């Protein structure tokens, strides 16, 4: 499956920077307090996801929003066409 890049280079660099920052923060917290690591693991996983999005320059949430907006603009036209064909 091939993905089309849907975020800009500046957005990608910001995602990578913030992802590495939060990943480092979560890792240091897990080292200091290993018995409280459940919430830090979630932060680490989300940070790793942001790093991956930045490297690939593909965000599934942005893609879903763009596809949703495309569907929203096409739906009223289809409803009007179906209503007109029923009246004949």
């Amino acid at each position: 499956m091939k993905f089309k890049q849907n975020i800009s280079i500046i957005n990608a660099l910001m995602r990578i920077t913030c992802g590495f920052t939060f990943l480092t923060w979560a890792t240091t917290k897990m080292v200091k307090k290993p018995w409280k690591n459940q919430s830090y693991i979630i932060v680490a996983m989300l940070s790793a996801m942001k790093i991956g999005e930045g490297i690939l320059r593909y965000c599934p949430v942005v893609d879903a929003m763009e596809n949703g907006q495309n569907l929203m603009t096409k739906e009223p036209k289809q409803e009007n066409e179906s209503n007109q064909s029923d009246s004949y």
Side-chain angles (χ1 to χ4, degrees):
M1 185 185 289
K2 187 174 180 178
F3 297 109
K4 181 182 174 189
Q5 295 176 344
N6 62 358
I7 59 174
S8 67
I9 190 72
I10 301 296
N11 194 336
L13 290 173
M14 290 300 296
R15 286 173 191 254
I16 292 170
T17 304
C18 292
F20 274 123
T21 302
F22 283 117
L23 184 63
T24 304
W25 175 80
T27 305
T28 56
K29 290 292 186 178
M30 284 192 293
V31 168
K32 287 182 180 179
K33 298 178 183 177
W35 59 89
K36 288 187 173 183
N37 64 356
Q38 189 169 6
S39 62
Y40 300 129
I41 288 176
I42 294 171
V43 172
M45 289 183 349
L46 291 174
S47 301
M49 184 181 71
K50 290 298 168 190
I51 293 168
E53 288 175 1
I55 291 171
L56 296 176
R57 290 186 55 196
Y58 175 78
C59 180
V61 175
V62 172
D63 192 29
M65 294 295 286
E66 287 175 355
N67 287 339
Q69 286 181 356
N70 290 340
L71 289 175
M72 293 290 279
T73 57
K74 292 179 183 177
E75 272 186 35
K77 294 176 185 175
Q78 292 174 354
E79 287 178 6
N80 291 338
E81 290 172 2
S82 64
N83 289 339
Q84 290 174 356
S85 63
D86 290 341
S87 62
Y88 291 118

